Amino acid sequence: MAVEIRNYLEGFADRDAALKALLTVDESVFGEDFTDEEISSPAFGVVDDDRTFLAWDGDRPVGMSANFTLDVSVPGGTVPTAGVTFIGVLPTHRRRGVMSAMLDRLHQDGLQRGEPIAALWAAEPTIYPRFGYGVASKMLRLSIPRSFGTISGAPSDASIVLRMVDPADDFEATSEIYNAVRAGRSGMPAVDERWHARHVWDPASKRDGSGRLHTVLAESDAGVRGFLRYSVKPDWTSAHSDGTLNVQRMMATDAAAYAELWRFAINFDLMSKVGWWNAPSDDPIQVWLDQPRHATRQLEDQMYVRLLDLPRAVAARTYSAEVDVVIEVSDRHIPANAGRWRLTAGPRGATAERSTASADLNLDIRTLGAAYLGGPAIEEHAAAGWVTENTPGSVTALGLAFRTATAPHCPFVF
Ligand SMILES: CC(C)(COP(=O)(O)OP(=O)(O)OC[C@H]1O[C@@H](n2cnc3c(N)ncnc32)[C@H](O)[C@@H]1OP(=O)(O)O)[C@@H](O)C(=O)NCCC(=O)NCCS
C-alpha cells in the first residue's frame, strides 16, 4: 500500500490527540517517552500546525516530519527559514522512500512560503548531504577542569554585578542580549516567547541527575550586559566533590561581561568542571585559558543548511568582499537551482542571474549551503575535491566573499 503524507491534524479530534500520535511515532523512532502532561507542555508550543505532517500506511501513522518557522541571522540581516525537524520513519517502513517523500514535501512547503533556505540539526549526519544540505556551522563540545580553569589575562570590570533570576522570568533580559549578539553572528534563529518557554521548560524527568536551570545576569549601570543559563550536576567520589556545571547558554555584549560569567562558571563551589556541549567554535575562552590544552574541545558538525531557492538565498545576505563569478551548480533534488549562474556579490548584497558564459567554478548545492552562513566551506570543499576551479583564483575570491569575522553558531537544537 502506498504511503500518504497528510497534515498531522487530519483524522484527529484535536491538537493534543494529533500531537500524541506524532509523539507515538517519535517514541518508536527515538525512544523518547512523553507523559500527557509533557505533551501539553511549552516544549511543543512551537509546533506549527500547518507545517507538521504524518505519513500514513492505511490507517497507521508510520512517519513524521515538520517545518518550524524560523528567522535565522545571516550577514547583513535575517532570512526566513524552513526549520526541518521531527524526521522519523517506523522501523517497519524504512528504506522505501518515506523520508525522501517527506523531505520533498517540507522543501515545497518552504518554497511556497517564500523561505529561500531550509536548516536542520541532524541526528544522523550521513543522511542529509545527499539531499543538498551542507554543514553550515560547527560547535565545540567543551569540558574545562576547574583546576586548570584560570583565565588571568581575561578582561575584568569591577562595576559588573551578577544577579540570579528565575529562568521563567528572564525572557526580557536575555532577549536583549540574545538579539544584540544575533546582530553580529549568523546562524541564530529568532527567539520569541514560545521558543523561550520551550528553552526554560525544565521538568525533573528530563534533567538526568542535574538540578534545575538557573539564570545569572551580568549587569552594571549600563544595564544587562550578559547572561548565563546553567544547571549543576552533583557527583561525589569517596574523597571529594566531583560535580559539573553544565552551561545551557551564555552570551554577552562585551568581553568583560563574558569573562565575568566564565569566572562564575569555572569557580563554582563543589564543581570540578564546566561542561558546555554547544559552545561557539570561536568562543574566547580558548584564548583566555592560561592552560588551554587541559580543556577538552571536540569540534562537531552543527546546523545543516540547504538552499531551496538559490537566487533568493544569495540575495538575502551580504558578503565580505566583492566577487563576480560564474558558478555551475548541481542539484539532484531541486532542479530549478541547477545550472549556470552569474553571482555578483559584495558588502551591499548579491544577485544570481542565469548565465551562458563558461563557469569559473563547478560545485554542488551542498557547498553553497555549507558556505551560506559564513564559514570557510568554499575553500574546504575545494581542498576536499568537491569544488572544481576552472579559473585560477576563483575559489579564493568566492571563499573570501562568503566568510564572516565571527563563526556561525546556532545556540539551540530545533
Ligand atoms: C533516517 C530515516 C528517517 C530514513 O527514513 P527512510 O524512509 O528509511 O529513508 P528513505 O528510504 O527515504 O532513504 C533516503 C536515502 O537516505 C538513505 N538513508 C536513510 N537512512 C539512512 C541512515 N540511517 N544512514 C544512512 N543513509 C540513510 C537511504 O539509503 C536513501 O539513500 P539514496 O537516496 O541514496 O538511495 C529513518 O531510518 C529513521 O527514522 N531513522 C531513525 C531516526 C533518525 O535517524 N532520524 C533522522 C533525524 S535527523
Side-chain angles (χ1 to χ4, degrees):
M1 186 178 289
V3 169
E4 212 185 305
I5 298 163
R6 299 186 214 141
N7 180 282
Y8 87 127
L9 296 172
E10 272 182 46
F12 294 101
D14 55 36
R15 186 179 194 267
D16 271 5
L19 209 44
K20 202 165 181 168
L22 187 87
L23 293 173
T24 303
V25 176
D26 186 277
E27 196 283 321
S28 307
V29 169
F30 291 106
E32 294 175 290
D33 223 349
F34 296 96
T35 62
D36 284 354
E37 199 186 332
E38 287 166 353
I39 291 173
S40 355
S41 75
F44 301 107
V46 292
V47 170
D48 203 329
D49 287 346
D50 294 342
R51 318 188 67 182
T52 302
F53 304 95
L54 282 171
W56 291 82
D57 181 358
D59 58 1
R60 278 169 308 144
V62 297
M64 58 175 188
S65 59
N67 276 332
F68 286 137
T69 306
L70 302 180
D71 189 37
V72 172
S73 58
V74 292
T78 64
V79 61
T81 301
V84 172
T85 187
F86 280 126
I87 298 284
V89 174
L90 288 194
T92 48
H93 285 69
R94 289 181 183 160
R95 307 301 183 269
R96 50 172 110 158
V98 177
M99 178 186 69
S100 305
M102 292 194 303
L103 269 181
D104 276 349
R105 178 71 169 261
L106 296 179
H107 291 163
Q108 286 311 316
D109 172 66
L111 280 166
Q112 278 159 15
R113 288 161 190 265
E115 293 165 335
I117 65 166
L120 57 80
W121 283 69
E124 192 80 76
T126 50
I127 300 172
Y128 295 100
R130 84 190 71 214
F131 293 100
Y133 287 81
V135 178
S137 60
K138 292 185 181 151
M139 65 180 200
L140 275 186
R141 197 176 285 275
L142 263 183
S143 176
I144 304 176
R146 186 173 169 192
S147 48
F148 291 106
T150 53
I151 51 172
S152 51
S156 62
D157 177 348
S159 73
I160 294 172
V161 174
L162 300 182
R163 180 165 65 97
M164 308 280 299
V165 293
D166 186 335
D169 300 326
D170 77 11
F171 178 68
E172 207 177 313
T174 58
S175 296
E176 197 182 312
I177 303 302
Y178 187 93
N179 292 334
V181 171
R182 183 169 173 250
R185 192 188 282 285
S186 58
M188 293 174 63
V191 170
D192 60 13
E193 271 158 326
R194 286 178 320 148
W195 279 97
H196 175 262
R198 176 178 165 103
H199 295 156
V200 299
W201 179 66
D202 183 32
S205 57
K206 302 288 176 203
R207 287 188 206 146
D208 194 26
S210 284
R212 66 178 185 85
L213 269 182
H214 297 272
T215 302
V216 61
L217 304 178
E219 298 171 308
S220 66
D221 289 346
V224 183
R225 289 164 55 179
F227 77 93
L228 161 65
R229 232 188 259 132
Y230 69 94
S231 59
V232 295
K233 188 168 188 176
D235 201 4
W236 300 87
T237 67
S238 55
H240 58 85
S241 59
D242 190 23
T244 307
L245 182 144
N246 285 306
V247 176
Q248 186 218 51
R249 197 155 308 151
M250 175 159 43
M251 16 187 102
T253 51
D254 64 278
Y258 201 55
E260 208 50 47
L261 292 166
W262 263 114
R263 284 190 199 95
F264 174 92
I266 289 169
N267 297 322
F268 206 97
D269 279 358
L270 302 180
M271 299 298 120
S272 61
K273 57 193 168 302
V274 175
W276 190 358
W277 71 276
N278 181 26
S281 60
D282 56 357
D283 196 284
I285 191 67
Q286 300 170 94
V287 178
W288 288 333
L289 279 170
D290 296 328
Q291 304 190 67
R293 74 180 59 162
H294 291 281
T296 309
R297 286 176 276 178
Q298 185 169 315
L299 191 62
E300 296 181 17
D301 47 302
Q302 195 204 44
M303 193 157 76
Y304 288 63
V305 166
R306 196 220 200 276
L307 271 55
L308 298 176
D309 180 332
L310 185 152
R312 289 200 54 229
V314 298
R317 59 160 284 187
T318 57
Y319 296 80
S320 296
E322 303 283 350
V323 68
D324 187 351
V325 287
V326 175
I327 54 175
E328 172 102 38
V329 179
S330 57
D331 190 336
R332 217 155 56 93
H333 290 274
I334 305 184
N337 292 326
R340 227 167 290 168
W341 299 92
R342 178 177 176 193
L343 178 64
T344 314
R348 285 174 311 285
T351 56
E353 285 164 0
R354 285 289 179 193
S355 173
T356 51
S358 55
D360 298 305
L361 296 153
N362 294 57
L363 44 78
D364 187 69
I365 194 77
R366 72 181 160 169
T367 296
L368 291 178
Y372 189 69
L373 297 177
I378 302 287
E379 297 93 325
E380 285 179 358
H381 285 204
W386 291 355
V387 175
T388 307
E389 183 180 61
N390 307 314
T391 304
S394 53
V395 163
T396 305
L398 192 63
L400 276 177
F402 268 93
R403 276 191 186 230
T404 47
T406 47
H409 182 72
C410 181
F412 57 89
V413 182
F414 55 81

